[in-house]
């Protein structure tokens, strides 16, 4: 007697298993930190070194230099007295070097972002390997930019704040302290330098995606950041309404601050260029020329110190807008380049 075997029911197809989830952002960040560990160490060392120098500059070095200038002024009155020349020169050198180091930061960030962060991975094929591991290109680029942007913002903002405090400590006490409108003070001691650094990061990412060669991206990103720096230098005085100071022909143009324009005012209110070598009417030939031009006074359009933060904030807003535009452009380039890639979906 044969044994009956119950027929095995056909397998009922169940819901399809969900696709593997992409790598979690924390895992991407950890991988990013391991991959760019030398750059992280270099950045941390730079920020700590600048912070230490700026704390020294704004504290003991400012006190020593201020005392040296007091001694120097007394020395001019009494040649028998001595003054601390070393403290004066050291303050000047440290102030100059720290300012230059801060102003160079956007170029370093742009070069690193173009060459190492983006360009090298596209050149070596590492990026495409990551895209086959469940990480979409969009998520890959977002993770690439998010953590560096946070570290660059934090480090540059700290250095800029300490720079501004160091300058404030020496203001009115150290004769060689830069005026508020100098390049070193206006650009290195406020949020403008932070926005420039972020613009450098975005420019580096965009050039890395466009060129896909580390050396070419390094050069292109550094040059693009230089163009941004020059454009901001030229545009910043015009981002906020100026004040106008009118002075007599004998006094010459006057007004302490960031100068924008100066010239002659006629009796009809017209503005004329100042004739060459005629800064006042003390020279009889210049006085005769002024009479012939119907000039009655000098004018000067400038930004007084009260405009410092307005200029800083306006310039920062413009640079952040440029940074956003560069970032959006980078994502659009990436989307276009990976349109046919399986993992290109957002």
């Amino acid at each position: 007697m044969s044994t009956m075997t119950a027929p095995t029911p056909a397998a009922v197809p169940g819901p399809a298993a969900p696709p593997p989830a992409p790598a979690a952002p924390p895992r991407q960040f950890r991988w990013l930190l391991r991959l760019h560990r030398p750059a992280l160490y270099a950045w941390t060392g730079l920020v700590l070194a600048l912070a230490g120098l700026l704390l020294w500059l704004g504290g003991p070095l400012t006190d020593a230099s201020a005392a040296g200038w007091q001694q120097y002024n007394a020395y001019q009155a009494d040649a028998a007295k001595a003054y601390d020349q070393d403290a004066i020169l050291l303050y000047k050198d440290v102030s100059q070097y720290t300012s230059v180091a801060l102003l160079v930061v956007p170029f370093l960030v742009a070069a690193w972002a173009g060459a190492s962060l983006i360009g090298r991975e596209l050149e070596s094929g590492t990026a495409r390997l990551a895209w086959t591991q469940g990480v979409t290109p969009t998520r890959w680029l977002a993770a690439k930019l998010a953590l560096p942007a946070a570290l660059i913002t934090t480090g540059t903002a700290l250095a800029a704040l300490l720079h501004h405090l160091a300058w404030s400590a020496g203001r009115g006490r150290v004769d060689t302290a830069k005026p508020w409108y100098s390049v070193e003070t206006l650009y290195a001691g406020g949020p403008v330098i932070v926005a420039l650094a972020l613009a450098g990061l975005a420019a580096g990412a965009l050039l890395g995606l466009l060129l896909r060669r580390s050396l070419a991206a390094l050069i292109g990103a550094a040059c693009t950041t230089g163009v941004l720096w020059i454009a901001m230098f030229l545009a910043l005085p015009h981002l906020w309404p100026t004040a106008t100071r009118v002075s007599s022909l004998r006094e010459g143009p006057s007004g302490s601050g960031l100068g924008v324009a100066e010239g002659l005012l006629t009796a009809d209110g017209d503005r004329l260029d100042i004739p060459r070598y005629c800064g006042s009417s003390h020279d009889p030939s210049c006085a005769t020329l002024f009479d012939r031009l119907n000039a009655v006074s000098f004018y000067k359009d400038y930004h007084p110190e009260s405009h410092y933060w307005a200029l800083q904030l306006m310039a920062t807003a413009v640079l952040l807008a440029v940074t956003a535009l560069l970032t959006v452009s980078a994502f659009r380039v990436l989307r276009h380049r990976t349109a046919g890639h399986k993992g290109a979906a957002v």
Side-chain angles (χ1 to χ4, degrees):
M1 184 175 178
S2 60
T3 304
M4 297 292 294
T5 304
T8 303
V12 178
R27 187 181 304 172
Q28 296 181 50
F29 290 151
R30 289 196 296 269
W31 174 77
L32 184 65
L33 287 173
R34 286 198 299 268
L35 182 62
H36 297 284
R37 190 177 300 169
L40 176 62
Y41 290 159
W43 175 249
T44 303
L46 175 62
V47 171
L48 291 177
L50 275 175
L53 286 172
L54 290 169
L55 287 172
W56 179 43
L57 178 67
L61 194 52
T62 294
D63 294 337
S65 182
W69 277 108
Q70 289 179 349
Q71 295 166 357
Y72 175 77
N73 293 329
Y75 171 82
Q76 288 184 313
D78 184 358
K81 294 184 177 181
Y83 68 97
D84 191 351
Q85 184 179 19
D86 292 339
I88 293 174
L89 295 177
L90 185 59
Y91 175 93
K92 182 179 179 181
D93 290 343
V94 173
S95 177
Q96 185 69 27
Y97 294 150
T98 52
S99 298
V100 170
L102 257 174
L103 294 174
V104 169
V105 162
F107 295 92
L108 297 178
V109 170
W112 171 76
S116 181
L117 184 66
I118 303 297
R120 186 175 63 186
E121 293 210 19
L122 292 175
E123 186 177 16
S124 64
T126 307
R128 289 195 172 274
L129 178 62
W131 301 340
T132 63
Q133 304 300 315
V135 180
T136 65
T138 300
R139 187 184 293 270
W140 170 83
L141 182 57
K144 280 284 186 181
L145 294 179
L147 185 58
L151 295 174
I152 289 165
T153 300
T154 303
T156 311
L158 174 62
L161 174 62
L162 293 176
H163 186 283
H164 183 76
L165 293 176
W167 170 79
S168 299
R171 180 185 177 197
R173 301 173 59 200
V174 178
D175 291 9
T176 52
K178 298 289 185 179
W180 72 268
Y181 50 85
S182 69
V183 172
E184 297 89 342
T185 304
L186 186 58
Y187 291 90
V192 169
I193 194 66
V194 182
L196 271 171
L198 291 175
L201 175 66
L206 177 59
L207 268 294
L209 290 167
L210 286 173
L211 302 176
R212 292 180 289 179
R213 295 290 184 271
S214 56
L215 180 59
L218 183 153
I219 297 172
C223 292
T224 302
T225 304
V227 171
L228 286 176
W229 205 102
I230 294 171
M232 180 49 54
F233 177 81
L234 296 175
L236 184 141
H238 306 284
L239 296 178
W240 193 257
T242 59
T244 301
R245 183 184 178 94
V246 177
S247 54
S248 68
L249 293 176
R250 292 189 63 83
E251 183 182 359
S254 63
S256 177
L258 180 61
V260 177
E262 63 181 25
L264 291 169
L265 279 176
T266 67
D268 298 328
D270 295 330
R271 291 187 168 197
L272 304 175
D273 293 334
I274 301 175
R276 200 172 185 181
Y277 305 121
C278 285
S280 71
S281 60
H282 288 287
D283 188 331
S285 61
C286 290
T288 302
L289 180 57
F290 293 157
D291 288 338
R292 190 161 61 245
L293 294 172
N294 198 25
V296 294
S297 61
F298 284 100
Y299 77 89
K300 182 174 183 178
D301 295 334
Y302 71 106
H303 292 287
E305 189 175 353
S306 58
H307 290 188
Y308 175 83
W309 286 110
L311 291 170
Q312 283 278 350
L313 295 177
M314 289 298 296
T316 301
V318 171
L319 284 169
L320 289 179
V322 172
T323 301
L325 180 62
L326 291 172
T327 304
V328 170
S329 300
F331 277 98
R332 289 180 66 87
V333 168
L334 179 65
R335 183 186 293 270
H336 176 73
R337 291 282 173 86
T338 59
H341 193 277
K342 182 179 179 180
V346 179

